[in-house]
Amino acid sequence: ACTHAFSKMQLDASLGACDVDVVVSSSRRRRLVADTAYDATVLVSPTTVNASVLATALENLLLEGVTTTSTITDPTEELRLVPGIDTASVESFATAAAVAADASSVATEAETLVPPPPPSPPTPPPAPPPSHPSPPPRLVALDYESSATGSFAGVRGGAIFVAATVAIFTA
């Protein structure tokens, strides 16, 4: 019955536990195994089977015509119902489980309070352009062969020299 339950749920049997009870029929006819009805209780943990997988498994059972009920059960309460179990061990387990649950919730809360990592360092500025090439050679050296005469002989060379100097500083 458990194998059929997990098969119809399309859920791996290692993800849960199963308990089966034979349902007594009202018929007094000879009971055949094939005609016997079973009440299978499948227990799964939310840490191994998430809500969407469980919803899909329950939907698969409905599609197979199986009536289902879903309950949330405290495992320690279920352990207390087991005949012959040591109640002191169950209480010790319940206390340890509560401490572990509290520690887990504190850790989860601490994870949400952790500040985000510092921003990555800024990207370095682009490399400076290559250094300027050496200045061009002087355009006017000595103009001994100038055709200018008299007091304007040095003006032409001086004007060219000033223009060349301005071009060097604005480049």
Side-chain angles (χ1 to χ4, degrees):
C2 287
T3 303
H4 288 286
F6 281 106
S7 174
K8 289 182 179 196
M9 287 189 299
Q10 297 178 11
L11 187 66
D12 185 0
S14 68
L15 298 176
C18 181
D19 183 39
V20 177
D21 291 323
V22 177
V23 177
V24 179
S25 70
S26 61
S27 170
R28 297 219 181 242
R29 290 186 291 156
R30 185 174 126 189
R31 285 194 262 176
L32 300 174
V33 175
D35 294 336
T36 305
Y38 298 95
D39 183 12
T41 301
V42 176
L43 303 172
V44 293
S45 169
T47 58
T48 56
V49 177
N50 66 37
S52 66
V53 171
L54 181 59
T56 302
L58 292 173
E59 178 76 23
N60 291 338
L61 285 173
L62 288 174
L63 293 174
E64 291 284 334
V66 177
T67 304
T68 63
T69 58
S70 179
T71 59
I72 298 174
T73 306
D74 179 6
T76 57
E77 292 301 322
E78 289 296 316
L79 285 174
R80 287 182 182 102
L81 299 175
V82 175
I85 196 162
D86 180 30
T87 57
S89 295
V90 172
E91 294 309 317
S92 176
F93 171 75
T95 302
V99 169
D102 289 343
S104 177
S105 65
V106 167
T108 301
E109 184 179 334
E111 286 175 352
T112 60
L113 297 177
V114 173
S120 59
T123 56
S131 61
H132 294 290
S134 58
R138 287 190 136 162
L139 298 178
V140 177
L142 295 173
D143 194 5
Y144 290 113
E145 298 179 14
S146 174
S147 62
T149 58
S151 61
F152 295 107
V155 173
R156 180 173 176 241
I160 292 173
F161 177 74
V162 171
T165 303
V166 170
I168 292 170
F169 288 114
T170 58

